[in-house]
Amino acid sequence: MAIAQSRPLLAIGKYAALLGYLTFALFPLYWLLKIAITPDQLIFTEGTQLWPSSLTLDNFRTVLFQTDFLAYFGNSLYVSLGTAAATTLIAAGAGYAFSRFDFGGKRIIIAVMLITQMFPLLMIIAPIYKIVASLGMLNSLTSLIVVYTAFNIPFATFLMQSFFDGIPKDLEEAAMMDGCSRFQALRKVIFPLTLPGLGATLGFVFTAAWSELLFALMLISKNEAMTFPVGLLTFVSKFSVDWGQMMAAGVLALIPSCLFFIFIQRYLVQGLTSGAVKG
Amino acid sequence: MARIELKDVVKRYGSVEVLRDIDLDIEDGEFIVLVGPSGCGKSTLLRMIAGLEPITSGDFLIDGERMNDVRPRDRDIAMVFQSYALYPHMDVARNMGFSMEIRKDPSNERTSRVKQAAETLGLTSLTERLPKALSGGQRQRVAMGRAIIRDPRAFLFDEPLSNLDASLRVEMRLEIARLHQKLGATMIYVTHDQVEALTLADRIVVLNGGDIQQVGSPLDLYERPANKFVAQFIGSPTMNIIPVQGKSNGVKLADGALLELPHLFGTIDAVELGIRPEHIDVVEVGDLVGVADVVEHLGSDTNLYLQVEGLGPLMVREHGNIPVQPGDRVGLRIQSENVHLFGPDGNALRCHTNEAAA
Ligand SMILES: Nc1ncnc2c1ncn2[C@@H]1O[C@H](COP(=O)(O)OP(=O)(O)OP(=O)(O)O)[C@@H](O)[C@H]1O
Ligand SMILES: [Mg+2]
């Protein structure tokens, strides 16, 4: 800050760059909102204007009360929360083991987990379909949770491992000297310090599951089991691309992600371990 | 209160032997200091006693009971870590009281003990702070407080004062000495600092490359080092080592001069002579003549770094202020009663006549 204050030009430049980036990144979101509140008859006539001449909430009303949107929404919420919880739980356990213990086959397991991340999804979608079909789990939300969890675990594990690596081993050992069992040390000392890591992992997995389309499209065909991204496509066929409603649905879909990140944001604050060890 | 015994303890990481045949018998209430160069296995030894590192082979006993496979929490030993290892999400008071919290001691007792420990360590005004809002020295003291809050069977300290400035170090050193007197608990203390080792220890254990070189009282190690390593490791400034040729009644120096050591026998095996800088006198006419290279006036002492013809560099510490200038030629006399002789294997030749008589 001291530097920014002593050189106003540099500060202005910095903020201009930030503003430019934010405009670039957030413009599509703005456009989404704009179309969602534009009356249908104005969408094409005023297509390129930055702000429509009149506003309406009709699109939201239609989406909420005259389509299956709420059902899709509920399905997505169930799948995403389920995936986030299951993945984070498993990844936290695996990440802790990778970070703290040496065991036979550790390198191989890590290598295999890395390899799973190398294949394009399209390559494995057919075999996955076969497996799920033969288990009789097509059109079930549980199958989506299982598949999403399986796909997210490797990355989430590496993420959690790096968070555990960032917590000095001395802290656990000190806790054990203070009379904790390993599990108590984990719960009383390590867990509170891993909250940012858990938050980040939950958020990451939740968003990934929330917006996943490919598997949902393949594994779900019944209307009542559709997740939100699949349901969004129904706006294309039913109403011959009803832009206004589609965008309104999109805006509503952003809400849980935003809420989720607002909720975990305070756990993402870094520097929780500062002061633990010298230096 | 505990007597701690280590019998033939070995530590291996894979095929690397980090500690070999460690035999050590620590009496109840004794203050043991571990010294040795970096990487010699001091922390490893401490961690094995704490139960944080498995013992590869050998026996570890507390009060005669084998503890090799006992969990750290059941050994009832407190440890101050080289890195402090304070819990960053707990304030100072909770950090110090954590062990009592885990043991579910009554909270009023906990509060009063934390208060008492905070007073002892001068932390009273800081009890509500988080570790990140403390200075290095304050963190150090919290780490100490965490250990003294309970009455463990033994205390382990891993270089607890290494991060403090000189004056705080002296203060904390005295505090530890006082603590030991008050509690009378067995303490094992790792340090790099000669003064800490010599002032605190009942006995010092010198480690090098995974072997115990010598165990003894500070004076023992200073006056009767078992080998060249201990001789050079203990004492500051470092002991001078001069190559010699053993003769029947003394040793012959490399410049040809004969140093008669009539009170010693067995000098014939000597290949090196050790003499501490404070045991060489500056005289008019001595055994040797040196040319002063660097002269350091410390006020209470004068350090002379000399070149002796045919012998090489030699360091001399003389009490008081002596008027020698760089480039001056000075006569030197080696105090023959303070000479140490080492054989070809580096071990000290135990050849003092008075010792042999005793
Ligand atoms: N996990 C490990 N695997 C292999 N070797 C190790 C491991 N931990 C320590 N060592 C080795 O054991 C030796 C002793 O280490 P230790 O930490 O006990 O040294 P130290 O005497 O405490 O040194 P310092 O004074 O620098 O703290 C070192 O040579 C180190 O490389
Ligand atoms: Mg160490």
Side-chain angles (χ1 to χ4, degrees):
Chain A
M1 285 313 280
I3 292 172
Q5 276 161 4
S6 61
R7 294 189 188 182
L9 264 185
L10 198 70
I12 292 170
K14 260 192 225 162
Y15 284 111
L18 267 177
L19 197 68
Y21 170 73
L22 279 178
T23 314
F24 181 74
L26 293 180
F27 188 74
L29 287 180
Y30 167 70
W31 212 244
L32 185 79
L33 186 69
K34 189 211 109 174
I35 294 181
I37 56 174
T38 304
D40 270 351
Q41 63 274 20
L42 294 182
I43 282 186
F44 294 105
T45 53
E46 294 186 358
T48 53
Q49 287 186 12
L50 277 181
W51 196 245
S53 53
S54 72
L55 304 177
T56 177
L57 289 177
D58 280 351
N59 288 325
F60 288 97
R61 217 166 290 137
T62 320
V63 165
L64 283 175
F65 302 115
Q66 284 162 36
T67 67
D68 291 331
F69 176 82
L70 281 180
Y72 303 153
F73 201 84
N75 288 343
S76 263
L77 212 55
Y78 173 72
V79 170
S80 305
L81 284 177
T83 306
T87 307
T88 307
L89 203 67
I90 297 170
Y96 182 75
F98 282 148
S99 169
R100 290 297 195 263
F101 302 121
D102 259 322
F103 49 89
K106 177 168 157 182
R107 281 165 178 277
I108 294 172
I109 296 174
I110 291 180
V112 169
M113 284 174 81
L114 273 176
I115 288 170
T116 62
Q117 300 292 289
M118 294 181 349
F119 297 104
L121 283 186
L122 277 173
M123 265 175 67
I124 27 183
I125 206 155
I128 293 277
Y129 179 83
K130 272 252 179 243
I131 294 170
V132 174
S134 61
L135 288 172
M137 285 174 71
L138 286 179
N139 282 317
S140 91
L141 295 175
T142 317
S143 71
L144 277 188
I145 293 183
V146 172
V147 172
Y148 290 170
T149 303
F151 271 90
N152 279 308
I153 277 178
F155 183 78
T157 300
F158 294 135
L159 199 62
M160 283 311 299
Q161 183 192 348
S162 71
F163 277 104
F164 282 120
D165 283 344
I167 299 174
K169 217 176 158 191
D170 284 1
L171 288 185
E172 268 160 300
E173 295 180 339
M176 289 198 265
M177 295 305 297
D178 272 349
C180 290
S181 63
R182 182 172 274 281
F183 184 73
Q184 272 179 316
L186 191 63
R187 193 163 57 88
K188 298 233 176 209
V189 175
I190 304 303
F191 175 72
L193 300 175
T194 330
L195 285 179
L198 290 173
T201 311
L202 275 174
F204 167 79
V205 178
F206 180 88
T207 336
W210 184 258
S211 54
E212 207 282 340
L213 174 64
L214 210 52
F215 281 105
L217 208 53
M218 285 298 291
L219 301 177
I220 306 287
S221 51
K222 280 216 193 94
N223 198 46
E224 66 266 22
M226 278 184 186
T227 57
F228 170 78
V230 185
L232 208 57
L233 291 178
T234 61
F235 288 95
V236 177
S237 48
K238 261 194 211 160
F239 309 98
S240 66
V241 194
D242 193 321
W243 289 111
Q245 288 177 19
M246 204 162 159
M247 297 302 160
V251 171
L252 292 173
L254 282 175
I255 292 173
S257 292
C258 290
L259 285 181
F260 200 79
F261 271 96
I262 289 170
F263 171 67
I264 61 173
Q265 178 258 7
R266 64 195 162 121
Y267 297 114
L268 290 174
V269 186
Q270 285 301 311
L272 214 55
T273 53
S274 64
V277 293
K278 60 178 145 194
Chain B
M1 308 301 102
R3 170 175 173 183
I4 295 173
E5 288 163 277
L6 295 152
K7 290 182 179 164
D8 294 327
V9 167
V10 173
K11 177 67 189 175
R12 259 183 241 116
Y13 286 113
S15 60
V16 188
E17 220 168 39
V18 180
L19 287 169
R20 261 180 302 272
D21 300 333
I22 301 297
D23 264 307
L24 201 56
D25 194 343
I26 300 170
E27 310 238 340
D28 182 17
E30 204 173 9
F31 200 121
I32 290 284
V33 173
L34 295 177
V35 296
S38 190
C40 68
K42 305 182 293 292
S43 296
T44 308
L45 185 57
L46 218 56
R47 292 167 52 82
M48 289 198 299
I49 293 173
L52 299 170
E53 201 75 63
I55 296 170
T56 311
S57 73
D59 294 316
F60 165 62
L61 295 88
I62 300 181
D63 287 334
E65 204 183 327
R66 191 170 187 273
M67 299 294 252
N68 285 42
D69 305 313
V70 174
R71 288 187 298 177
R73 60 179 295 192
D74 300 324
R75 295 190 185 191
D76 194 19
I77 292 174
M79 177 160 172
V80 178
F81 284 74
Q82 200 165 358
S83 64
Y84 314 153
L86 302 181
Y87 312 125
H89 55 301
M90 302 180 192
D91 64 17
V92 167
R94 186 153 176 239
N95 255 291
M96 294 205 288
F98 188 66
S99 60
M100 299 184 75
E101 182 183 327
I102 291 296
R103 277 186 317 185
K104 303 204 166 60
D105 286 340
S107 75
N108 54 346
E109 188 185 327
R110 189 167 87 214
T111 321
S112 76
R113 294 210 64 155
V114 167
K115 193 157 161 266
Q116 198 187 332
E119 261 163 36
T120 313
L121 296 164
L123 292 168
T124 310
S125 59
L126 305 173
T127 47
E128 274 160 28
R129 297 237 195 127
L130 287 177
K132 69 174 171 220
L134 299 177
S135 74
Q138 291 164 339
R139 286 179 202 178
Q140 184 88 73
R141 280 179 279 161
V142 177
M144 293 277 295
R146 213 166 50 176
I148 64 170
I149 200 81
R150 59 202 177 112
D151 297 316
R153 297 213 269 189
F155 288 92
L156 308 177
F157 299 94
D158 197 347
E159 300 188 39
L161 308 187
S162 54
N163 238 34
L164 305 185
D165 68 47
S167 69
L168 203 52
R169 233 172 142 123
V170 173
E171 209 177 292
M172 289 299 291
R173 196 178 77 211
L174 290 173
E175 196 53 57
I176 291 174
R178 234 173 264 142
L179 194 73
H180 181 239
Q181 260 165 25
K182 195 173 101 196
L183 302 178
T186 312
M187 295 190 174
I188 306 179
Y189 188 104
V190 170
T191 183
H192 274 289
D193 188 306
Q194 292 256 347
V195 184
E196 272 172 40
L198 295 171
T199 53
L200 288 173
D202 291 324
R203 281 193 298 161
I204 297 180
V205 176
V206 185
L207 280 171
N208 185 30
D211 290 305
I212 290 185
Q213 301 289 325
Q214 192 173 1
V215 183
S217 71
L219 221 57
D220 252 354
L221 299 196
Y222 181 83
E223 286 176 352
R224 286 179 292 279
N227 55 39
K228 207 169 92 182
F229 178 82
V230 177
Q232 291 203 284
F233 196 80
I234 299 289
S236 167
T238 311
M239 181 188 281
N240 295 295
I241 300 287
I242 306 165
V244 293
Q245 218 178 352
K247 292 278 177 238
S248 57
N249 62 338
V251 293
K252 198 168 133 195
L253 304 182
D255 65 350
L258 188 74
L259 188 64
E260 285 194 31
L261 301 167
H263 60 293
L264 298 182
F265 64 88
T267 53
I268 195 89
D269 295 329
V271 298
E272 276 169 324
L273 174 148
I275 183 78
R276 296 196 185 275
E278 53 270 40
H279 295 152
I280 303 177
D281 298 324
V282 174
V283 290
E284 289 289 313
V285 185
D287 314 319
L288 302 164
V289 177
V291 180
D293 235 350
V294 177
V295 182
E296 294 173 344
H297 294 284
L298 304 179
S300 61
D301 296 294
T302 308
N303 288 343
L304 303 176
Y305 296 84
L306 305 145
Q307 284 293 335
V308 179
E309 215 168 300
L311 275 188
L314 205 63
M315 193 196 162
V316 174
R317 166 172 279 196
E318 198 67 5
H319 208 66
N321 235 326
I322 56 167
V324 177
Q325 297 297 320
D328 286 357
R329 290 171 66 86
V330 290
L332 303 170
R333 193 182 65 82
I334 291 174
Q335 298 176 6
S336 58
E337 66 277 19
N338 285 319
V339 155
H340 304 265
L341 294 178
F342 302 103
D345 55 1
N347 284 336
L349 299 175
R350 287 265 165 257
C351 47
H352 286 80
T353 38
N354 52 359
E355 201 178 283

